[in-house]
């Protein structure tokens, strides 16, 4: 993956090792080399489930509106709505069932990371296009495997020792009914347990993405308290997560199910990380003394 892509969101693009290859087939004298090569299986093309978030993640991975650092991996193009839709179909075959080319363009514009459209003459016809740097085809597979790496992630979790995987989910303030909020949070909790293999899951039922992490959920509203009590298979709010991190002697793998990430405030995120590191160092020092 290009450095430009990873630099935009270093907390998302974490590389996990690929699935180990199967044992090689040994050639025998009676088995010609050509037949052995025909037996070798190749990995299937990555297929991404069509959701609005996965589509935006796809384009964020393989395109950028800013000139990339590694320009040799990209091509500058002006793409019509239909061309953008066709680009995604290779990896998201069912994208047309979810959105039209016009709807896709609307999502990209509102997201803010992909610039705006402008009129350009294509074959003499005035066409609305979006100017983007597009990753060359030969680099896209590897880049997308790193981002959409669910299988290798699960294998890494299952093979890890002295680690615990915990999950965190957050819902912003909104006017949706209480039952809807709880149902959405419950689905997130389930996904963290089942898909991300989290042993513990913590939630912030009513919380903005930029709220200070160390003070997050310090004072819960009545709605937040009721939501936590309604949820099944959760281990408390963000303050409970902080206390757990202080108490455990295991290394923590934190999975965040939130489009904005753990926080939309990078400075606060760095401060929170420093705070946790200080406590980890303090715990290890006490353990060594004992």
């Amino acid at each position: 993956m290009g450095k430009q892509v990873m630099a935009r969101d270093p907390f998302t693009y974490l590389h996990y090792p690929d699935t180990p290859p199967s044992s090689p087939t040994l050639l025998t004298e009676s088995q010609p080399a050509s037949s052995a090569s025909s037996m070798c299986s190749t990995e299937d093309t990555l297929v991404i489930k069509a959701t609005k978030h996965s589509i935006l993640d796809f384009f964020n991975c393989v395109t950028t509106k800013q000139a990339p650092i590694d320009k040799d991996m990209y091509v500058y193009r002006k793409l019509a709505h239909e061309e953008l839709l066709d680009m995604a179909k290779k990896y998201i075959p069912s994208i047309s069932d979810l959105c039209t080319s016009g709807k896709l363009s609307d999502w990209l514009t509102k997201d803010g990371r992909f610039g705006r459209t402008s009129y350009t003459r294509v074959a003499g016809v005035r066409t609305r296009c979006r100017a983007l740097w597009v990753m060359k085809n030969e680099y896209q597979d590897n880049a997308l495997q790193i981002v959409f790496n669910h299988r290798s992630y699960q294998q890494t979790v299952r093979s890890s020792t002295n680690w615990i995987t915990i999950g965190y989910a957050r819902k912003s303030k909104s006017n949706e009914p209480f039952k809807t909020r709880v149902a959405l949070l419950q689905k997130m909790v389930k996904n963290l347990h089942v898909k991300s293999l989290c042993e513990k899951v913590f939630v912030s039922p009513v919380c903005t993405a930029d709220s200070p992490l160390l003070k997050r959920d310090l004072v819960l509203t009545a709605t937040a308290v009721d939501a936590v009590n309604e949820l099944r298979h959760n281990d408390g709010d963000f303050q409970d997560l902080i206390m757990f991190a202080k108490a455990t002697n295991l290394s923590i793998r934190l999975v965040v199910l939130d489009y904005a990430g753990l926080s939309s405030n990078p400075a606060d995120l760095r401060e929170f990380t420093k705070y946790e590191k200080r406590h980890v160092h303090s715990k290890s020092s006490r353990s060594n003394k004992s």
Side-chain angles (χ1 to χ4, degrees):
M1 170 178 285
K3 295 178 181 178
Q4 179 81 7
V5 178
M6 299 181 74
R8 288 203 300 267
D9 194 349
F11 298 101
T12 296
Y13 301 116
L14 177 62
H15 178 69
Y16 291 95
D18 294 330
T19 305
S22 56
S23 300
T25 302
L26 298 178
L27 287 175
T28 63
E29 292 182 0
S30 60
Q31 183 181 8
S34 59
S35 65
S37 63
S38 66
M39 292 173 62
C40 295
S41 60
T42 57
E43 290 187 359
D44 295 333
T45 302
L46 175 67
V47 176
I48 301 169
K49 183 180 179 181
T51 67
K52 180 181 178 181
H53 287 172
S54 68
I55 291 168
L56 293 175
D57 285 342
F58 166 81
F59 280 102
N60 188 48
C61 180
V62 301
T63 70
T64 173
K65 67 177 180 180
Q66 305 293 341
I69 297 173
D70 37 10
K71 287 186 178 180
D72 57 320
M73 295 175 60
Y74 290 79
V75 176
Y76 185 72
R77 298 181 60 188
K78 292 184 178 181
L79 299 162
H81 298 346
E82 293 76 13
E83 290 178 296
L84 289 166
L85 190 68
D86 289 340
M87 182 194 303
K89 282 181 180 178
K90 177 182 177 182
Y91 296 99
I92 315 176
S94 59
I95 186 173
S96 296
D97 298 334
L98 183 67
C99 66
T100 62
S101 59
K103 186 67 174 178
L104 171 61
S105 181
D106 184 53
W107 286 349
L108 295 175
T109 299
K110 289 181 178 178
D111 183 83
R113 290 175 289 179
F114 309 100
R116 305 188 70 83
T117 59
S118 60
Y119 281 105
T120 304
R121 287 202 171 273
V122 179
V125 180
R126 196 163 176 261
T127 307
R128 186 175 285 277
C129 296
R130 190 180 303 273
L132 292 168
W133 289 86
V134 181
M135 185 179 287
K136 294 178 181 177
N137 291 337
E138 58 264 36
Y139 300 112
Q140 288 187 12
D141 276 357
N142 183 56
L144 291 166
Q145 288 286 355
I146 292 173
V147 176
F148 298 92
N149 58 353
H150 191 247
R151 183 182 300 175
S152 55
Y153 160 79
Q154 285 193 331
Q155 291 175 337
T156 299
V157 171
R158 290 190 174 108
S159 62
S160 299
T161 56
N162 298 320
W163 281 79
I164 184 169
T165 303
I166 65 174
Y168 173 68
R170 180 192 65 84
K171 279 289 291 175
S172 296
K173 298 177 181 178
S174 61
N175 296 323
E176 63 199 352
F178 176 77
K179 287 186 177 180
T180 302
R181 176 177 294 273
V182 171
L184 292 171
L185 282 167
Q186 190 65 66
K187 185 175 181 180
M188 295 163 78
V189 170
K190 179 182 177 181
N191 285 338
L192 285 166
H193 277 301
V194 176
K195 293 185 177 181
S196 299
L197 306 181
C198 295
E199 297 179 48
K200 291 183 176 291
V201 173
F202 303 89
V203 296
S204 292
V206 185
C207 175
T208 58
D210 61 350
S211 64
L213 291 169
L214 292 176
K215 296 181 180 179
R216 186 172 290 186
D217 297 336
L218 200 58
V219 179
L220 292 175
T221 63
T223 301
V225 172
D226 291 342
V228 172
N229 292 335
E230 283 280 334
L231 289 171
R232 303 185 307 278
H233 312 303
N234 81 92
D235 295 274
D237 56 38
F238 198 80
Q239 290 300 311
D240 294 307
L241 185 155
I242 293 174
M243 291 303 297
F244 174 79
K246 289 180 181 179
T248 185
N249 289 321
L250 298 171
S251 297
I252 293 175
R253 179 186 294 107
L254 176 62
V255 181
V256 180
L257 194 56
D258 187 334
Y259 191 62
L262 185 60
S263 173
S264 58
N265 185 338
D268 183 57
L269 185 57
R270 283 192 290 269
E271 186 61 33
F272 176 73
T273 305
K274 290 178 183 177
Y275 173 84
E276 289 299 330
K277 283 184 177 179
R278 286 197 298 269
H279 282 275
V280 169
H281 178 72
S282 176
K283 283 190 296 184
S284 61
S285 298
R286 289 198 299 270
S287 298
N288 291 334
K289 288 180 181 179
S290 61

